[in-house]
Coordinates of all heavy atoms in Angstrom, one line a residue:
Chain A
G12 N 4.3 0.7 -21.3 CA 5.1 0.9 -20.2 C 4.3 1.1 -18.9 O 4.9 1.3 -17.8
F13 N 3.0 1.0 -19.0 CA 2.0 1.2 -17.9 C 1.2 -0.1 -17.8 O 0.0 0.0 -17.9 CB 1.2 2.4 -18.0 CG 1.9 3.7 -17.8 CD1 2.6 4.3 -18.9 CD2 2.0 4.2 -16.6 CE1 3.3 5.5 -18.7 CE2 2.7 5.4 -16.4 CZ 3.4 6.1 -17.4
P14 N 1.7 -1.2 -17.5 CA 0.9 -2.5 -17.5 C 0.0 -2.5 -16.2 O 0.3 -1.9 -15.2 CB 1.9 -3.6 -17.4 CG 3.1 -3.0 -16.7 CD 3.1 -1.5 -17.2
D15 N -1.1 -3.2 -16.3 CA -1.9 -3.6 -15.2 C -1.1 -4.5 -14.3 O -0.3 -5.3 -14.8 CB -3.2 -4.2 -15.6 CG -4.2 -3.2 -16.2 OD1 -4.3 -2.1 -15.7 OD2 -4.9 -3.6 -17.2
T16 N -1.4 -4.6 -13.1 CA -0.9 -5.6 -12.2 C -2.0 -6.7 -11.9 O -3.0 -6.3 -11.3 CB -0.4 -5.1 -10.9 OG1 0.5 -4.0 -11.2 CG2 0.4 -6.1 -10.1
M17 N -1.8 -7.9 -12.4 CA -2.9 -8.9 -12.2 C -2.9 -9.4 -10.8 O -2.0 -9.2 -10.0 CB -2.6 -10.0 -13.3 CG -2.5 -9.5 -14.7 SD -4.0 -8.6 -15.3 CE -5.2 -10.0 -15.5
P18 N -4.0 -10.1 -10.4 CA -4.1 -10.5 -9.0 C -3.0 -11.3 -8.4 O -2.5 -10.9 -7.3 CB -5.4 -11.4 -9.0 CG -6.2 -10.8 -10.2 CD -5.2 -10.4 -11.3
A19 N -2.4 -12.2 -9.1 CA -1.3 -13.0 -8.5 C -0.1 -12.1 -8.1 O 0.5 -12.2 -7.0 CB -0.9 -14.2 -9.4
S20 N 0.3 -11.3 -9.1 CA 1.4 -10.4 -8.9 C 1.1 -9.3 -7.8 O 2.0 -9.0 -7.0 CB 1.9 -9.6 -10.1 OG 2.1 -10.6 -11.2
A21 N -0.1 -8.9 -7.9 CA -0.5 -7.8 -6.9 C -0.5 -8.3 -5.5 O -0.1 -7.7 -4.6 CB -1.9 -7.2 -7.3
L22 N -1.0 -9.6 -5.4 CA -1.0 -10.2 -4.0 C 0.4 -10.4 -3.5 O 0.7 -10.2 -2.3 CB -1.8 -11.5 -4.0 CG -2.0 -12.1 -2.6 CD1 -2.9 -11.2 -1.8 CD2 -2.6 -13.5 -2.7
A23 N 1.3 -10.9 -4.4 CA 2.6 -11.2 -4.0 C 3.3 -9.9 -3.6 O 4.0 -9.8 -2.6 CB 3.4 -11.8 -5.2
R24 N 3.1 -8.8 -4.3 CA 3.7 -7.5 -4.0 C 3.2 -7.0 -2.7 O 3.9 -6.6 -1.8 CB 3.5 -6.5 -5.1 CG 4.4 -5.3 -4.9 CD 3.9 -4.1 -5.7 NE 3.7 -4.4 -7.1 CZ 2.9 -3.7 -8.0 NH1 2.2 -2.7 -7.5 NH2 2.8 -4.0 -9.2
A25 N 1.8 -7.1 -2.5 CA 1.2 -6.6 -1.3 C 1.8 -7.5 -0.1 O 2.0 -6.9 1.0 CB -0.3 -6.8 -1.3
S26 N 1.9 -8.8 -0.3 CA 2.5 -9.6 0.8 C 3.8 -9.3 1.1 O 4.3 -9.2 2.3 CB 2.3 -11.1 0.4 OG 3.1 -11.9 1.1
V27 N 4.7 -9.0 0.1 CA 6.1 -8.6 0.4 C 6.1 -7.3 1.1 O 6.9 -7.1 2.1 CB 6.9 -8.5 -0.9 CG1 8.2 -7.9 -0.7 CG2 7.1 -9.9 -1.5
V28 N 5.3 -6.3 0.7 CA 5.2 -5.0 1.4 C 4.8 -5.1 2.8 O 5.4 -4.5 3.7 CB 4.3 -4.0 0.5 CG1 4.0 -2.8 1.4 CG2 5.0 -3.7 -0.8
R29 N 3.8 -6.0 3.0 CA 3.3 -6.2 4.4 C 4.4 -6.7 5.2 O 4.7 -6.2 6.4 CB 2.2 -7.2 4.3 CG 1.0 -7.0 5.2 CD -0.1 -8.0 4.9 NE -0.9 -7.6 3.8 CZ -2.0 -8.4 3.4 NH1 -2.2 -9.5 4.0 NH2 -2.7 -8.1 2.3
T30 N 5.2 -7.7 4.8 CA 6.2 -8.3 5.5 C 7.4 -7.2 5.8 O 7.9 -7.1 6.9 CB 6.9 -9.5 4.8 OG1 5.8 -10.4 4.6 CG2 7.9 -10.2 5.6
A31 N 7.8 -6.6 4.7 CA 9.0 -5.6 4.8 C 8.6 -4.5 5.7 O 9.4 -4.1 6.6 CB 9.3 -5.1 3.4
T32 N 7.4 -3.9 5.6 CA 7.1 -2.8 6.4 C 6.9 -3.2 7.9 O 7.2 -2.5 8.8 CB 5.7 -2.1 5.9 OG1 4.7 -3.0 5.9 CG2 6.0 -1.5 4.6
G33 N 6.5 -4.5 8.2 CA 6.5 -5.0 9.5 C 7.9 -5.0 10.1 O 8.1 -4.7 11.2
V34 N 8.9 -5.4 9.3 CA 10.2 -5.4 9.7 C 10.7 -4.0 10.0 O 11.3 -3.7 11.1 CB 11.2 -6.1 8.7 CG1 12.7 -5.8 9.0 CG2 10.9 -7.6 8.6
F35 N 10.4 -3.0 9.1 CA 10.8 -1.7 9.3 C 10.2 -1.2 10.6 O 10.9 -0.5 11.4 CB 10.3 -0.8 8.1 CG 10.9 -1.1 6.8 CD1 10.2 -0.7 5.6 CD2 12.0 -1.8 6.6 CE1 10.7 -1.0 4.4 CE2 12.5 -2.1 5.4 CZ 11.9 -1.7 4.2
E36 N 8.9 -1.4 10.8 CA 8.3 -1.0 12.0 C 8.9 -1.5 13.3 O 9.0 -0.9 14.3 CB 6.8 -1.2 12.0 CG 6.0 -0.3 11.0 CD 4.6 -0.5 10.8 OE1 4.0 -1.2 11.7 OE2 4.0 -0.1 9.8
S37 N 9.3 -2.8 13.2 CA 9.9 -3.4 14.4 C 11.2 -2.7 14.8 O 11.7 -2.8 15.9 CB 10.1 -4.9 14.1 OG 11.3 -5.1 13.4
F38 N 11.9 -2.1 13.8 CA 13.1 -1.3 14.1 C 12.8 0.1 14.4 O 13.7 1.0 14.5 CB 14.1 -1.4 12.9 CG 14.9 -2.7 12.9 CD1 14.4 -3.8 12.3 CD2 16.2 -2.7 13.4 CE1 15.2 -5.0 12.2 CE2 16.9 -3.9 13.3 CZ 16.4 -5.0 12.8
G39 N 11.5 0.6 14.5 CA 11.2 1.9 14.9 C 11.0 2.9 13.7 O 10.9 4.1 13.8
Y40 N 10.9 2.3 12.5 CA 10.6 3.2 11.3 C 9.2 3.4 11.1 O 8.4 2.4 11.3 CB 11.2 2.5 10.0 CG 12.7 2.5 10.0 CD1 13.5 1.7 10.9 CD2 13.4 3.3 9.1 CE1 14.8 1.8 10.8 CE2 14.8 3.3 9.1 CZ 15.5 2.5 10.0 OH 16.9 2.5 9.9
A41 N 8.8 4.6 10.8 CA 7.3 4.8 10.6 C 7.1 5.3 9.2 O 8.0 5.9 8.5 CB 6.8 6.0 11.6
P42 N 5.9 5.0 8.6 CA 5.7 5.4 7.2 C 5.4 6.9 7.0 O 5.0 7.6 8.0 CB 4.5 4.6 6.8 CG 3.7 4.5 8.1 CD 4.8 4.3 9.1
I43 N 5.7 7.4 5.9 CA 5.2 8.7 5.5 C 4.7 8.5 4.0 O 4.9 7.5 3.4 CB 6.3 9.8 5.4 CG1 7.4 9.6 4.3 CG2 7.0 10.0 6.7 CD1 8.2 10.8 4.0
D44 N 4.0 9.5 3.6 CA 3.7 9.6 2.1 C 3.9 11.0 1.7 O 3.8 12.0 2.4 CB 2.3 9.1 1.8 CG 2.1 8.6 0.4 OD1 3.2 8.6 -0.4 OD2 1.0 8.3 -0.1
T45 N 4.2 11.2 0.4 CA 4.4 12.5 -0.2 C 3.6 12.4 -1.5 O 3.2 11.4 -2.0 CB 5.9 12.7 -0.5 OG1 6.4 11.8 -1.6 CG2 6.8 12.6 0.7
P46 N 3.3 13.6 -2.0 CA 2.4 13.6 -3.2 C 3.0 13.1 -4.5 O 4.2 13.1 -4.6 CB 2.1 15.1 -3.4 CG 2.6 15.8 -2.2 CD 3.6 15.0 -1.6
A47 N 2.2 12.5 -5.3 CA 2.7 12.1 -6.7 C 3.1 13.2 -7.5 O 4.1 13.2 -8.2 CB 1.5 11.3 -7.3
L48 N 2.4 14.4 -7.3 CA 2.8 15.6 -8.1 C 3.4 16.6 -7.1 O 2.9 16.9 -6.1 CB 1.4 16.2 -8.6 CG 0.8 15.7 -9.8 CD1 -0.5 16.4 -10.3 CD2 1.8 15.6 -11.0
E49 N 4.5 17.2 -7.7 CA 5.2 18.3 -7.0 C 5.5 19.3 -8.0 O 5.5 19.1 -9.2 CB 6.4 17.8 -6.3 CG 6.2 16.7 -5.2 CD 7.0 16.8 -4.0 OE1 7.5 18.0 -3.8 OE2 7.2 15.8 -3.2
Y50 N 6.0 20.5 -7.5 CA 6.5 21.5 -8.3 C 7.6 20.9 -9.1 O 8.6 20.3 -8.5 CB 7.0 22.7 -7.6 CG 5.9 23.7 -7.0 CD1 5.5 23.6 -5.8 CD2 5.3 24.5 -7.9 CE1 4.4 24.4 -5.3 CE2 4.2 25.3 -7.4 CZ 3.9 25.3 -6.1 OH 2.9 26.1 -5.7
A51 N 7.7 21.1 -10.4 CA 8.8 20.5 -11.2 C 10.1 20.9 -10.8 O 11.1 20.2 -10.7 CB 8.5 20.8 -12.7
E52 N 10.3 22.2 -10.4 CA 11.6 22.8 -10.0 C 12.1 22.0 -8.8 O 13.3 21.9 -8.6 CB 11.5 24.3 -9.8 CG 10.6 24.7 -8.7 CD 11.1 26.1 -8.1 OE1 11.9 26.8 -8.6 OE2 10.6 26.4 -6.9
I53 N 11.2 21.6 -8.0 CA 11.6 20.9 -6.7 C 12.2 19.5 -7.1 O 13.2 19.1 -6.6 CB 10.5 20.8 -5.7 CG1 10.3 22.2 -5.2 CG2 10.7 19.8 -4.6 CD1 9.7 22.3 -3.8
L54 N 11.4 18.8 -7.9 CA 11.9 17.4 -8.3 C 13.1 17.5 -9.2 O 14.0 16.6 -9.1 CB 10.7 16.7 -9.0 CG 9.5 16.4 -8.2 CD1 8.5 15.5 -9.0 CD2 9.9 15.7 -6.8
R55 N 13.2 18.5 -10.0 CA 14.4 18.7 -10.8 C 15.6 19.0 -10.0 O 16.7 18.6 -10.4 CB 14.1 19.8 -11.9 CG 14.7 19.6 -13.2 CD 14.4 20.7 -14.1 NE 13.0 20.8 -14.6 CZ 12.2 21.9 -14.4 NH1 12.7 23.0 -13.8 NH2 11.0 21.9 -14.8
G56 N 15.5 19.6 -8.9 CA 16.6 19.9 -8.0 C 17.7 20.7 -8.8 O 17.4 21.7 -9.3
K57 N 18.9 20.2 -8.7 CA 20.0 21.0 -9.3 C 20.0 20.9 -10.8 O 20.7 21.6 -11.5 CB 21.4 20.6 -8.7 CG 21.7 19.2 -8.9 CD 23.0 18.9 -8.1 CE 23.2 17.4 -8.1 NZ 24.3 16.9 -7.3
G58 N 19.2 19.9 -11.3 CA 19.0 19.8 -12.8 C 20.1 19.1 -13.5 O 21.2 18.8 -12.8
G59 N 19.9 18.7 -14.7 CA 21.0 18.2 -15.5 C 21.1 16.7 -15.4 O 21.8 16.0 -16.1
A60 N 20.3 16.1 -14.4 CA 20.5 14.6 -14.3 C 19.7 13.9 -15.4 O 18.8 14.5 -16.0 CB 19.9 14.3 -12.9
E61 N 20.0 12.7 -15.6 CA 19.4 11.8 -16.5 C 17.8 11.8 -16.3 O 17.0 11.8 -17.2 CB 20.0 10.4 -16.5 CG 19.4 9.4 -17.5 CD 19.7 9.9 -18.9 OE1 20.6 10.6 -19.2 OE2 18.9 9.4 -19.8
T62 N 17.5 11.8 -15.0 CA 16.2 11.6 -14.6 C 15.3 12.8 -15.0 O 14.1 12.7 -15.3 CB 16.0 11.5 -13.0 OG1 17.0 12.3 -12.4 CG2 16.3 10.1 -12.6
D63 N 15.9 14.0 -15.2 CA 15.1 15.2 -15.6 C 14.4 14.9 -16.9 O 13.2 15.3 -17.1 CB 16.0 16.4 -15.8 CG 16.5 17.0 -14.4 OD1 16.1 16.4 -13.4 OD2 17.1 18.0 -14.5
K64 N 15.2 14.3 -17.8 CA 14.6 14.1 -19.2 C 13.4 13.1 -19.1 O 12.6 13.0 -20.0 CB 15.7 13.6 -20.1 CG 16.6 14.7 -20.6 CD 17.7 14.2 -21.5 CE 18.9 13.7 -20.7 NZ 19.9 13.0 -21.5
Q65 N 13.5 12.3 -18.0 CA 12.4 11.3 -17.9 C 11.3 11.6 -17.1 O 10.3 10.9 -17.0 CB 13.1 10.0 -17.2 CG 14.3 9.5 -18.0 CD 15.0 8.4 -17.2 OE1 14.7 8.1 -16.1 NE2 15.9 7.6 -17.9
M66 N 11.3 12.8 -16.6 CA 10.1 13.2 -15.7 C 8.8 13.5 -16.6 O 8.9 14.1 -17.7 CB 10.4 14.5 -14.9 CG 11.3 14.2 -13.7 SD 11.0 15.5 -12.4 CE 11.5 17.0 -13.2
F67 N 7.7 13.0 -16.0 CA 6.4 13.4 -16.6 C 6.0 14.8 -16.0 O 5.8 14.9 -14.9 CB 5.3 12.4 -16.3 CG 5.5 11.1 -17.0 CD1 6.2 10.0 -16.5 CD2 4.9 11.0 -18.3 CE1 6.3 8.8 -17.2 CE2 5.0 9.8 -19.0 CZ 5.7 8.7 -18.5
E68 N 6.2 15.8 -16.9 CA 6.0 17.2 -16.5 C 4.9 17.8 -17.3 O 4.7 17.5 -18.4 CB 7.3 18.0 -16.9 CG 8.2 18.2 -15.8 CD 9.3 19.2 -16.2 OE1 8.9 20.4 -16.4 OE2 10.5 18.8 -16.4
F69 N 4.1 18.7 -16.7 CA 3.1 19.4 -17.4 C 2.7 20.6 -16.7 O 3.0 20.9 -15.5 CB 1.9 18.5 -17.8 CG 1.2 17.9 -16.6 CD1 0.0 18.5 -16.0 CD2 1.7 16.8 -15.9 CE1 -0.7 18.0 -14.9 CE2 1.0 16.2 -14.8 CZ -0.1 16.8 -14.3
D70 N 1.9 21.5 -17.3 CA 1.3 22.7 -16.7 C 0.0 22.3 -16.1 O -0.9 21.8 -16.9 CB 1.2 23.9 -17.7 CG 2.6 24.3 -18.2 OD1 3.5 24.5 -17.3 OD2 2.7 24.5 -19.4
D71 N -0.2 22.6 -14.9 CA -1.6 22.3 -14.3 C -2.6 23.4 -14.7 O -2.2 24.4 -15.4 CB -1.5 22.0 -12.8 CG -1.4 23.2 -12.0 OD1 -1.4 24.3 -12.5 OD2 -1.3 23.1 -10.8
A72 N -3.9 23.2 -14.3 CA -4.9 24.2 -14.7 C -4.6 25.6 -14.2 O -5.1 26.5 -14.7 CB -6.2 23.7 -14.2
G73 N -3.8 25.6 -13.1 CA -3.4 27.0 -12.6 C -2.1 27.5 -13.2 O -1.6 28.5 -12.7
G74 N -1.6 26.8 -14.2 CA -0.4 27.3 -14.9 C 0.9 27.0 -14.2 O 1.9 27.5 -14.5
R75 N 0.8 26.2 -13.1 CA 2.0 25.8 -12.5 C 2.7 24.7 -13.2 O 2.1 23.7 -13.7 CB 1.7 25.3 -11.0 CG 1.3 26.5 -10.1 CD 0.7 25.8 -8.8 NE -0.6 25.3 -9.2 CZ -1.8 26.0 -8.9 NH1 -1.8 27.1 -8.3 NH2 -2.9 25.4 -9.4
R76 N 4.1 24.7 -13.3 CA 4.8 23.6 -13.9 C 4.9 22.5 -12.8 O 5.6 22.7 -11.8 CB 6.1 24.1 -14.3 CG 6.9 23.1 -15.2 CD 6.3 23.0 -16.6 NE 6.9 22.0 -17.4 CZ 6.3 21.6 -18.5 NH1 5.1 22.0 -18.9 NH2 6.9 20.7 -19.2
V77 N 4.3 21.4 -13.1 CA 4.3 20.2 -12.1 C 4.9 19.0 -12.7 O 5.0 18.9 -13.9 CB 2.9 20.0 -11.6 CG1 2.2 21.2 -10.9 CG2 1.9 19.5 -12.7
A78 N 5.3 18.1 -11.9 CA 5.8 16.8 -12.4 C 5.5 15.7 -11.4 O 5.2 15.9 -10.3 CB 7.4 16.9 -12.5
M79 N 5.5 14.5 -12.0 CA 5.2 13.3 -11.2 C 6.5 12.8 -10.6 O 7.6 12.8 -11.3 CB 4.6 12.2 -12.1 CG 3.2 12.7 -12.6 SD 2.5 11.5 -13.8 CE 1.9 10.2 -12.8
R80 N 6.6 12.5 -9.4 CA 7.9 12.1 -8.7 C 8.5 10.9 -9.5 O 7.8 10.0 -9.9 CB 7.6 11.7 -7.3 CG 6.8 10.5 -7.0 CD 6.5 10.3 -5.5 NE 5.7 9.1 -5.4 CZ 4.8 8.8 -4.4 NH1 4.8 9.7 -3.3 NH2 4.1 7.8 -4.3
F81 N 9.8 10.9 -9.6 CA 10.6 9.8 -10.3 C 11.3 9.0 -9.4 O 11.9 8.0 -9.8 CB 11.5 10.4 -11.4 CG 12.6 11.3 -10.8 CD1 13.8 10.7 -10.4 CD2 12.4 12.6 -10.6 CE1 14.7 11.5 -9.9 CE2 13.4 13.4 -10.1 CZ 14.6 12.9 -9.7
D82 N 11.3 9.4 -8.1 CA 11.9 8.5 -7.0 C 11.3 8.9 -5.7 O 10.5 9.8 -5.7 CB 13.4 8.5 -7.0 CG 14.0 9.8 -6.5 OD1 13.2 10.7 -6.0 OD2 15.3 9.9 -6.5

Side-chain angles (χ1 to χ4, degrees):
Chain A
F13 287 89
D15 287 319
T16 309
M17 304 303 284
S20 308
L22 185 68
R24 195 199 303 159
S26 160
V27 168
V28 166
R29 221 175 275 179
T30 304
T32 57
V34 169
F35 297 159
E36 288 176 19
S37 78
F38 278 86
Y40 290 70
I43 67 164
D44 201 7
T45 67
L48 281 183
E49 300 220 19
Y50 285 101
E52 63 153 14
I53 290 206
L54 296 186
R55 216 180 287 123
K57 62 189 167 187
E61 182 61 25
T62 39
D63 285 4
K64 283 177 276 172
Q65 301 175 349
M66 279 208 298
F67 285 95
E68 263 192 66
F69 59 99
D70 295 316
D71 76 2
R75 286 165 292 259
R76 192 70 184 163
V77 300
M79 298 171 78
R80 65 184 177 206
F81 64 88
D82 73 2

